[in-house]
Amino acid sequence: MDGEANSLETIINNNLNGYDLEQYNRIYYGRRNHLEVPIKESSKDKSEEFDFDIIAYSFPAKIEQIRPARIVKIGVIQHSIVLPTDQPISLQKAAIFEKVKVIIETAGEEGVNILCLQELWNMPMFVATREKHPWCEFAESAENGPTTRFISELAAKYSMVIVSPILERDENHSDILWNTAVVISDNGNVIGKHRKNHVPRVGDFNESTYYMEGNTGHPVFATRYGKIAVNICFGRHHVLNWMMFGHNGAEIVFNPSATVGGDTGSEYMWNIEARNAAITNCYFTAAINRVGNERFKSEFTSGDGMPAHHSFGPFYGSSYICAPDGVRCPGLSRTRDGLLIGVLDLNLNRQVRDRTCYQMTQRLDLYVNSLSKVLDIDYKPQVVYEKRK
Amino acid sequence: MDGEANSLETIINNNLNGYDLEQYNRIYYGRRNHLEVPIKESSKDKSEEFDFDIIAYSFPAKIEQIRPARIVKIGVIQHSIVLPTDQPISLQKAAIFEKVKVIIETAGEEGVNILCLQELWNMPMFVATREKHPWCEFAESAENGPTTRFISELAAKYSMVIVSPILERDENHSDILWNTAVVISDNGNVIGKHRKNHVPRVGDFNESTYYMEGNTGHPVFATRYGKIAVNICFGRHHVLNWMMFGHNGAEIVFNPSATVGGDTGSEYMWNIEARNAAITNCYFTAAINRVGNERFKSEFTSGDGMPAHHSFGPFYGSSYICAPDGVRCPGLSRTRDGLLIGVLDLNLNRQVRDRTCYQMTQRLDLYVNSLSKVLDIDYKPQVVYEKRK
């Protein structure tokens, strides 16, 4: 597909085996074997018929005496858009609904408890264009727009919590827009929403043209299956964003994203940031990225001195799940739609915290004091100069 | 060597080539080619004679109109101890001095401007034993102990800033101990020192038995060649530690460490943490780890239910340098002594900051406010519950 490698995993598995593969897996992923979990035959059939990948991995914990295991099955979906972006908005959205519905249903039939979709999953990533018309028409009410109604129905049908990241139209506040993750319960109710805290101003990501930094703080959603939070896209570069979700009790933090590869893209950081967050905060993370190239009718420039062009991407997929000890599973493909399932024992979070003591050794009081000084406009950095003898 | 793979790089380079190797390098390291810098023939001869590796990589920046390039050559040294740990302390130390001196001299002859040694470089990592006698005798004055005098001489000889992490005896404060990095200027003067901020309590790392959390804040040392800071070992798991060095103006943050591999070790996180710090703070980082197994006369247990034993390790080396854009070079070996050199253009830091806007989008005021609330003993996490319809 456009000369794109399918995945880093494909490169490794096509070339390494035996001792080398085992050592590579240990050093890169954190375990010699990936603990793959079987998928139903019916799901495999669906994935073939509808041309998406499906794979599942297990993240077990030690057996405890006092607490029973807390096994939760999570899923993440990555996908491309369907219709050309100059088609009517309602048709574009309906075509994405139709495609993603099959993958959501497959997740439901696999018994997934908590499912997270990619950032702005029901639309192309039009922010590269800086155009307002017609793209802003993709925005909807978080509480009762057509996307939330569509997802609610599926959530209730499969008793599955679904995180649905969309462009929100806030009619109660002067029609403004937000980049918002709507969290829908296993009953189909909207539990709440979270608005993207950090908005990029880099390359084709002209998102600050469309919406502002979120005003919802760092909510953790107490779902039937566990406490979850959503760090939307660019927030993955911000360690304090991840940290606050941890302080609020998140057991799993999803990072729905739309980010691109190429020589100046973010791809080589993709394995770093959600994984560092899992390690330092001792919770599960799941990083989700869309796939494909997206073409727009009007040409646009990318702020990099290159000629105007029409295409945004490639979005490199590679969605993965990371455990609180930093062990991760292989990623989904760089180019194909996919459903990645993780069977997590949430007891692992506290077990890792007890082992590493990262939370107890973090000296938060020291940093609140230091960071509050940094805020001072006249802040004097702590710099030590040589005293010449 | 004990069935240890030489390095992840060896595994990759022995098995991949052509397109696959190029794509692997792009996705893992962040660039297709490693920009290796030539080493002098005399240095190669020394590395062969004295059995250590030496390699250098370049991290260039764009040419600017107003600022000239700020090229700085940094070096990091990883090494094993030399004598058995039951030999007299003065002999153990002298043997390490003798070995490391050759590598420091090679760095000096290569024109390295800033050199950083590994954590507690002049001693075995005896903290596994929990014994005080005789190990505490390795401690020295940071300002004028034999190690500082030894390093000062070499620093002045080669006009090279040297960071020397040692066990400090604080005679002015009741003889207490600290895990301290001494920063010595190109004139051989002690510019200052930094004491390890975060002390581990995990596995064989019984360091909290020996010394306390540092009281030196987050100093940045203004050297002739650039502003540097030292995040000692366990501090690499703490994102706020990295962040404060950034706020204080660090251009390069060294992470001298002593950390072990094996199935439950830190090896799979090694590529993550110093690299995430480089990305989110937009400065250079250098991660340094010792090599070898260290055997102690008294047996000790590791708090993991396994039988008492005598050996601590393997320390997996793999020292590397990461640029502010997250691009890293290959690491040194997992098992051999080595000198890794990086030719950095420090202009890259601000160029990356201008491109990514991570500092401007970090909303520090929001987090100072939120984190100060977390400190409250009665803190109520921001948790959203479902309102059943």
Side-chain angles (χ1 to χ4, degrees):
Chain A
M1 202 181 265
D2 299 339
E4 288 283 322
N6 179 272
S7 67
L8 186 129
E9 283 74 12
T10 314
I11 296 174
I12 292 302
N13 292 325
N14 284 350
N15 291 285
L16 268 55
N17 51 54
Y19 177 79
D20 278 356
L21 181 59
E22 198 179 77
Q23 290 302 308
Y24 182 86
N25 285 344
R26 185 181 66 74
I27 296 174
Y28 183 79
Y29 298 100
R31 57 188 182 190
R32 290 163 201 265
N33 301 301
H34 294 312
L35 304 188
E36 207 173 320
V37 174
I39 296 291
K40 290 179 182 173
E41 284 306 317
S42 57
S43 301
K44 286 183 194 165
D45 292 346
K46 259 202 180 163
S47 78
E48 273 175 35
E49 185 183 349
F50 292 95
D51 201 27
F52 64 92
D53 296 329
I54 174 168
I55 192 155
Y57 300 98
S58 171
F59 295 89
K62 287 193 171 66
I63 294 169
E64 300 183 12
Q65 296 184 31
I66 305 299
R67 298 193 302 183
R70 295 182 56 219
I71 307 296
V72 172
K73 196 176 265 197
I74 69 167
V76 302
I77 293 175
Q78 68 178 33
H79 62 89
S80 59
I81 58 172
V82 180
L83 294 182
T85 60
D86 58 357
Q87 292 292 301
I89 281 172
S90 54
L91 293 188
Q92 287 188 56
K93 207 180 261 188
I96 297 175
F97 278 21
E98 189 185 344
K99 175 163 90 165
V100 174
K101 185 180 183 188
V102 174
I103 313 181
I104 294 176
E105 286 172 340
T106 307
E109 280 152 20
E110 282 290 329
V112 165
N113 303 123
I114 307 174
L115 180 70
C116 186
L117 305 178
Q118 69 197 23
E119 184 186 24
L120 302 176
W121 71 272
N122 59 357
M123 62 182 69
M125 198 66 194
F126 57 75
V127 298
T129 68
R130 298 198 317 284
E131 298 168 339
K132 298 302 176 86
H133 180 79
W135 311 114
C136 291
E137 292 189 61
F138 272 107
E140 301 179 15
S141 156
E143 285 70 23
N144 50 34
T147 301
T148 295
R149 293 199 306 274
F150 170 76
I151 292 293
S152 290
E153 203 168 294
L154 289 165
K157 179 173 175 189
Y158 293 104
S159 297
M160 183 162 64
V161 173
I162 306 183
V163 180
S164 170
I166 64 168
L167 185 63
E168 179 191 4
R169 174 73 75 184
D170 187 1
E171 294 183 349
N172 292 337
H173 293 90
S174 319
D175 286 331
I176 60 177
L177 300 175
W178 301 100
N179 183 319
T180 300
V182 186
V183 180
I184 295 161
S185 81
D186 55 302
N187 293 308
N189 298 329
V190 173
I191 303 179
K193 63 188 174 189
H194 173 59
R195 290 165 174 163
K196 184 171 182 169
N197 271 330
H198 302 270
V199 180
R201 292 117 160 97
V202 50
D204 282 331
F205 294 88
N206 302 298
E207 295 172 62
S208 62
T209 305
Y210 294 93
Y211 38 80
M212 300 293 289
E213 282 69 17
N215 61 355
T216 49
H218 294 83
V220 165
F221 302 95
T223 78
R224 177 172 164 198
Y225 307 109
K227 287 184 178 162
I228 66 171
V230 195
N231 180 343
I232 305 174
C233 197
F234 195 68
R236 74 185 179 280
H237 308 302
H238 290 281
V239 294
L240 291 173
N241 201 34
W242 291 106
M243 179 179 277
M244 273 309 301
F245 292 122
H247 284 306
N248 286 333
E251 298 176 299
I252 308 161
V253 181
F254 295 97
N255 176 228
S257 298
T259 180
V260 294
D263 281 327
T264 58
S266 65
E267 190 166 1
Y268 62 92
M269 307 182 199
W270 184 244
N271 173 54
I272 305 291
E273 294 162 307
R275 216 168 159 191
N276 191 78
I279 293 167
T280 192
N281 299 297
C282 303
Y283 52 46
F284 285 93
T285 61
I288 313 154
N289 185 23
R290 65 176 60 199
V291 292
N293 275 283
E294 299 181 3
R295 194 179 162 78
F296 299 92
K297 192 174 174 185
S298 310
E299 64 179 2
F300 55 89
T301 55
S302 300
D304 59 0
M306 301 296 286
H309 51 105
H310 294 268
S311 184
F312 189 16
F315 298 94
Y316 56 77
S318 308
S319 304
Y320 69 93
I321 295 166
C322 184
D325 54 5
V327 171
R328 61 160 282 183
C329 65
L332 287 175
S333 151
R334 300 180 63 253
T335 55
R336 286 168 48 79
D337 297 348
L339 167 64
L340 173 66
I341 295 173
V343 182
L344 324 178
D345 185 343
L346 295 182
N347 278 357
L348 189 59
N349 289 345
R350 204 172 75 180
Q351 290 177 13
V352 172
R353 288 178 177 192
D354 285 349
R355 181 164 62 78
T356 63
C357 296
Y358 291 162
Q359 275 60 37
M360 281 189 281
T361 57
Q362 71 181 347
R363 307 185 71 183
L364 194 56
D365 51 349
L366 169 70
Y367 291 103
V368 166
N369 182 37
S370 304
L371 290 172
S372 67
K373 289 179 185 159
V374 173
L375 282 181
D376 189 338
I377 289 174
D378 296 321
Y379 179 61
K380 294 276 177 292
Q382 183 185 352
V383 180
V384 182
Y385 295 90
E386 181 176 1
K387 291 187 192 73
R388 301 281 169 137
K389 280 175 185 166
Chain B
M1 201 181 269
D2 300 340
E4 289 281 322
N6 178 272
S7 68
L8 187 128
E9 282 75 12
T10 314
I11 296 174
I12 291 303
N13 291 325
N14 284 350
N15 291 286
L16 267 56
N17 50 55
Y19 178 80
D20 278 356
L21 180 59
E22 197 179 78
Q23 289 302 307
Y24 181 86
N25 285 344
R26 184 181 67 75
I27 297 173
Y28 183 79
Y29 298 99
R31 55 188 182 190
R32 292 163 200 263
N33 300 302
H34 294 312
L35 304 188
E36 207 172 319
V37 174
I39 297 290
K40 290 180 182 172
E41 284 306 315
S42 56
S43 302
K44 285 183 194 164
D45 293 346
K46 260 201 179 163
S47 78
E48 272 174 36
E49 183 184 349
F50 293 96
D51 202 27
F52 64 91
D53 296 330
I54 175 169
I55 192 156
Y57 300 98
S58 171
F59 296 88
K62 288 192 172 68
I63 294 171
E64 300 183 12
Q65 296 185 32
I66 305 299
R67 300 193 301 182
R70 296 182 57 219
I71 306 297
V72 172
K73 196 176 263 197
I74 69 168
V76 302
I77 293 176
Q78 67 178 33
H79 62 89
S80 59
I81 59 172
V82 181
L83 295 182
T85 60
D86 58 356
Q87 292 292 301
I89 281 173
S90 54
L91 294 188
Q92 288 187 57
K93 208 181 262 190
I96 295 174
F97 278 20
E98 188 184 345
K99 176 163 88 166
V100 174
K101 186 179 183 189
V102 174
I103 313 181
I104 296 177
E105 286 172 340
T106 307
E109 280 151 19
E110 282 290 329
V112 165
N113 303 123
I114 308 173
L115 181 71
C116 185
L117 304 177
Q118 69 198 23
E119 184 186 25
L120 303 175
W121 71 272
N122 58 358
M123 63 182 69
M125 197 65 195
F126 57 75
V127 298
T129 67
R130 299 198 317 285
E131 297 168 340
K132 299 303 175 83
H133 180 78
W135 311 114
C136 291
E137 293 189 61
F138 272 106
E140 300 179 15
S141 157
E143 284 71 23
N144 49 34
T147 300
T148 295
R149 293 200 305 274
F150 170 75
I151 292 294
S152 290
E153 202 167 296
L154 289 165
K157 178 173 176 189
Y158 293 103
S159 297
M160 181 163 64
V161 173
I162 305 183
V163 180
S164 171
I166 64 168
L167 186 63
E168 179 191 5
R169 174 73 75 183
D170 187 0
E171 294 183 349
N172 291 338
H173 293 90
S174 318
D175 284 332
I176 60 177
L177 301 175
W178 300 101
N179 184 320
T180 299
V182 186
V183 180
I184 295 161
S185 81
D186 54 303
N187 292 309
N189 298 330
V190 173
I191 304 180
K193 63 188 175 189
H194 173 58
R195 290 166 173 162
K196 184 170 181 169
N197 270 330
H198 301 270
V199 180
R201 293 118 161 96
V202 50
D204 283 330
F205 294 88
N206 301 299
E207 295 172 63
S208 63
T209 303
Y210 295 92
Y211 38 80
M212 301 292 288
E213 281 70 16
N215 62 353
T216 49
H218 295 84
V220 165
F221 302 94
T223 77
R224 177 174 164 196
Y225 307 108
K227 287 184 179 165
I228 66 171
V230 196
N231 179 343
I232 305 175
C233 197
F234 195 68
R236 73 183 180 280
H237 308 303
H238 289 281
V239 294
L240 291 173
N241 202 33
W242 290 107
M243 179 179 277
M244 274 308 301
F245 293 122
H247 284 307
N248 286 333
E251 297 176 298
I252 308 162
V253 182
F254 295 97
N255 176 227
S257 297
T259 181
V260 293
D263 280 328
T264 57
S266 66
E267 190 166 0
Y268 62 93
M269 306 181 200
W270 185 245
N271 173 55
I272 306 292
E273 293 163 308
R275 216 169 158 190
N276 190 78
I279 294 167
T280 191
N281 299 298
C282 303
Y283 52 46
F284 284 94
T285 61
I288 312 154
N289 185 24
R290 65 176 61 201
V291 292
N293 274 284
E294 300 181 2
R295 193 178 164 78
F296 298 92
K297 192 175 175 185
S298 310
E299 64 179 1
F300 55 89
T301 54
S302 300
D304 59 0
M306 301 297 285
H309 51 104
H310 294 268
S311 184
F312 188 16
F315 299 93
Y316 55 78
S318 307
S319 305
Y320 69 93
I321 295 166
C322 184
D325 54 5
V327 171
R328 63 161 281 184
C329 65
L332 286 175
S333 151
R334 298 179 65 251
T335 55
R336 285 168 49 78
D337 296 348
L339 166 63
L340 173 66
I341 295 173
V343 182
L344 325 178
D345 186 342
L346 295 182
N347 278 356
L348 189 59
N349 289 344
R350 204 173 76 180
Q351 290 177 14
V352 172
R353 288 180 177 189
D354 285 348
R355 182 164 61 78
T356 64
C357 296
Y358 291 163
Q359 274 61 37
M360 281 189 280
T361 58
Q362 72 181 347
R363 305 185 73 182
L364 194 57
D365 52 347
L366 169 71
Y367 292 102
V368 167
N369 183 38
S370 303
L371 290 171
S372 67
K373 289 179 186 160
V374 172
L375 282 181
D376 189 338
I377 290 174
D378 296 320
Y379 179 61
K380 295 275 179 292
Q382 183 186 352
V383 180
V384 182
Y385 296 89
E386 181 176 1
K387 291 185 191 72
R388 301 281 169 137
K389 280 175 185 165

